[in-house]
Amino acid sequence: MDIKNHTGTHIIIKLIMGREMEPLVVGRVIGEVLDYFIPSIKMAVSYNSNKLVFNGHEFYPSALTSKPRVEVQGEDLRSLFTLLMTDPDVPGPSDPYLREHLHWIVTDIPGTTDASFGREVVNYESPRPNIGIHRFIFVLFKQKKRLSVSAPASRDGFNTRQFAEENDLGLPVAAVYFNAQRETAARRR
């Protein structure tokens, strides 16, 4: 929907602040980790075949030990994507001075498939937050060509924006995040 305001400029409603972007803004994913983008690809992330990741939902770290299934829905097999998973709340959300920590990178994922068809350049590391509630963010970028994305030097001190710029990835095409915190014996019951 496009509406003109009193100065004649256009205000885009619902397209810019759609339902799928709102949780990313409220959860400070947009701003702290990613620049604003318009989602153009559907991505479904699930753990243990049945636990679908929705923005802001909480998972126990014990349920996150195996790689998730990440489906890229849309485009075609000639399109290639890069997926990354990062934790911007290291060591803790009240003072994330080590942000970000990289948990996973898969590149060369063909459209309409899942990440298992891609090239894992940084192995999956399961979330193990120590202090507070951490956000774990999955970000999908569309690649310009095959074998064009390289692994960063370190998992620590990772920067999603810088990584995207260095690998000529542009803005994300999809993103989703979940929360997790350290499990205690009482919480697992």
Side-chain angles (χ1 to χ4, degrees):
M1 177 183 272
D2 205 24
I3 300 173
K4 283 192 175 192
N5 67 9
H6 68 279
T7 62
T9 58
H10 291 278
I11 300 170
I12 299 174
I13 300 173
K14 207 74 162 154
L15 180 63
I16 296 278
M17 200 55 169
R19 278 180 266 157
E20 53 191 290
M21 290 302 289
E22 210 170 309
L24 295 173
V25 173
V26 172
R28 300 177 334 276
V29 171
I30 302 290
E32 290 183 4
V33 180
L34 304 173
D35 291 327
Y36 190 83
F37 69 97
I38 296 174
S40 58
I41 297 293
K42 290 202 180 288
M43 174 177 65
V45 180
S46 60
Y47 278 93
N48 304 320
S49 309
N50 59 355
K51 296 179 181 162
L52 199 58
V53 173
F54 292 102
N55 285 317
H57 286 206
E58 186 168 344
F59 285 91
Y60 292 122
S62 59
L64 309 171
T65 57
S66 299
K67 288 181 209 177
R69 178 179 170 88
V70 180
E71 295 176 66
V72 177
Q73 303 166 347
E75 295 291 318
D76 58 42
L77 292 171
R78 292 173 300 215
S79 300
L80 297 171
F81 297 90
T82 292
L83 170 75
L84 55 97
M85 178 185 175
T86 182
D87 174 358
D89 299 317
V90 179
S94 62
D95 187 18
Y97 64 90
L98 295 175
R99 94 170 47 175
E100 301 167 50
H101 181 79
L102 179 64
H103 282 265
W104 196 28
I105 296 180
V106 182
T107 67
D108 300 329
I109 303 166
T112 70
T113 67
D114 65 68
S116 66
F117 289 95
R119 185 172 59 98
E120 191 174 56
V121 295
V122 175
N123 294 336
Y124 179 77
E125 179 183 280
S126 63
R128 290 185 297 270
N130 287 323
I131 304 166
I133 300 170
H134 289 235
R135 296 165 293 168
F136 293 89
I137 305 164
F138 292 95
V139 185
L140 190 69
F141 294 95
K142 187 170 183 179
Q143 292 174 223
K144 293 191 168 89
K145 61 184 180 181
R146 183 176 296 284
L147 300 173
S148 62
V149 178
S150 54
S154 172
R155 288 179 186 264
D156 295 321
F158 184 77
N159 183 299
T160 298
R161 288 182 180 103
Q162 184 178 334
F163 177 80
E165 187 177 318
E166 289 170 357
N167 288 279
D168 195 24
L169 294 170
L171 291 173
V173 294
V176 67
Y177 81 100
F178 67 88
N179 296 317
Q181 61 185 307
R182 185 177 179 174
E183 283 181 74
T184 61
R187 286 193 74 219
R188 277 186 243 160
R189 289 184 194 156

